[in-house]
Amino acid sequence: MSDITTNRPQAAGAGAAEFAPAKVNLFLHVTGRREDGYHLLDSLAVFAGVGDELTASPAEALTLEIDGPEGGALVAEPDNLVLRAARLLAESHGVSHGAALRLTKRLPVASGIGGGSADAAAALRLLARQWRLPLPPEAAVARLGADVPVCVASRAARMGGIGEELAPAPRFPAYGLLLANPRIPLSTPAVFRARAPGFTPPAELPASWSSARAMAEDLRRCTNDLEAPARELCPAVTEVLSAIASRKDCLLARMSGSGATCFGLFPDPAMAQAAAESLPSAWWRWGGAPAEG
């Protein structure tokens, strides 16, 4: 049995905590489509130094409280991915006790940076550690969502299949990352439905990059195949991309995932942070180092 409430305070320092970093798709090629309708992808995912936080305290039942600056968007959601992940872990090992979970939501909802998947992955890591259990099988984790497996590791990876097939990423140089969202949610299924017919071959990437500029030059030859339909559904994406591209020292501006969050690559984290601070305050924005850096 589980329930969800929102915006109820909890004593600071209660239980263990786990960081749920934002996932950023540096490119996203739609390479084909399976018979069941799911699209096949090729993408390079990295993780940002910004994210949600999940805490857990021992309890008899599984419960979830939500707070944080972006928590209001989840008020009406009856079955948060965090609870689904917690139930999956408990059922996989026959666990009868629960946990009092608290999600501090800092990432915008339905924004193309894997917030819900990152939260679910954080729940699996946190409760597996607290209950001293192994994680569920990868196939079971993938049923929570195609992005959940990469978020469990929260390390840069090449994504294939429908997102669940993971391979090592190239070695990254030092770089800065900027994220910006116009605070307009975008439905992933709607973006895929609006996509023009046709597919893009997988990208060819080197084993490593010598500099952020070299990385941006290679990534510029890739695309996000969901960017054009997202712009049609949400014209503000074009505005955000233009604003990021116009910032001093921006090496590449592109949309992440199915949007509407867009990113910019910069030579170093300080430049990315300064650029983010110069964007409109009405937007959600962040700049700094990737989680790996």
Side-chain angles (χ1 to χ4, degrees):
M1 179 178 180
S2 60
D3 60 64
I4 181 167
T5 58
T6 61
N7 301 315
R8 294 202 304 209
Q10 179 176 311
E18 188 72 17
F19 182 52
K23 174 190 64 68
V24 182
N25 297 97
L26 297 183
F27 72 86
L28 194 158
H29 292 182
V30 181
T31 61
R33 189 172 183 174
R34 300 194 317 195
E35 291 184 0
D36 61 7
Y38 283 95
H39 289 84
L40 300 172
L41 309 174
D42 176 37
S43 184
L44 178 60
V46 297
F47 289 84
V50 63
D52 300 332
E53 184 177 70
L54 187 70
T55 62
S57 299
E60 292 185 3
L62 277 173
T63 61
L64 176 64
E65 298 178 353
I66 300 176
D67 63 10
E70 303 296 323
L74 294 179
V75 168
E77 188 172 333
D79 191 21
N80 189 282
L81 261 176
V82 168
L83 287 174
R84 289 173 55 193
R87 285 197 294 266
L88 171 64
L89 182 65
E91 292 166 3
S92 296
H93 298 286
V95 172
S96 59
H97 53 271
L101 299 165
R102 180 188 182 190
L103 176 64
T104 299
K105 193 72 181 162
R106 299 189 180 96
L107 301 177
V109 175
S111 61
I113 50 176
S117 295
D119 298 340
L124 291 174
R125 293 193 304 270
L126 178 58
L127 292 177
R129 189 168 68 243
Q130 194 167 78
W131 293 342
R132 299 184 179 182
L133 298 171
L135 291 170
E138 198 168 281
V141 172
R143 286 197 291 271
L144 292 169
D147 279 346
V148 179
V150 74
C151 289
V152 168
S154 290
R155 290 191 301 267
R158 190 80 176 262
M159 302 175 66
I162 61 172
E164 86 290 5
E165 296 177 5
L166 305 179
R171 291 189 299 276
F172 288 90
Y175 68 98
L177 185 62
L178 177 155
L179 302 178
N181 181 285
R183 294 191 179 280
I184 300 174
L186 262 178
S187 162
T188 297
V191 173
F192 271 100
R193 284 194 298 269
R195 191 183 70 86
F199 302 108
T200 304
E204 294 185 6
L205 299 179
S208 64
W209 286 293
S210 59
S211 67
R213 189 170 299 277
M215 179 174 74
E217 288 174 359
D218 278 349
L219 291 174
R220 193 172 290 111
R221 291 191 282 270
C222 305
T223 64
N224 181 343
D225 292 345
L226 302 182
E227 191 173 298
R231 287 188 186 206
E232 292 179 7
L233 294 172
C234 180
V237 170
T238 299
E239 181 184 356
V240 175
L241 284 168
S242 297
I244 294 173
S246 69
R247 299 303 97 169
K248 182 183 177 183
D249 300 312
C250 180
L251 302 174
L252 175 69
R254 180 171 287 159
M255 190 184 80
S256 174
S258 58
T261 302
C262 302
F263 69 87
L265 296 182
F266 289 79
D268 64 53
M271 292 177 179
Q273 182 178 0
E277 291 171 353
S278 71
L279 294 175
S281 59
W283 296 350
W284 179 91
R285 70 257 201 264
W286 172 88
E292 298 87 353

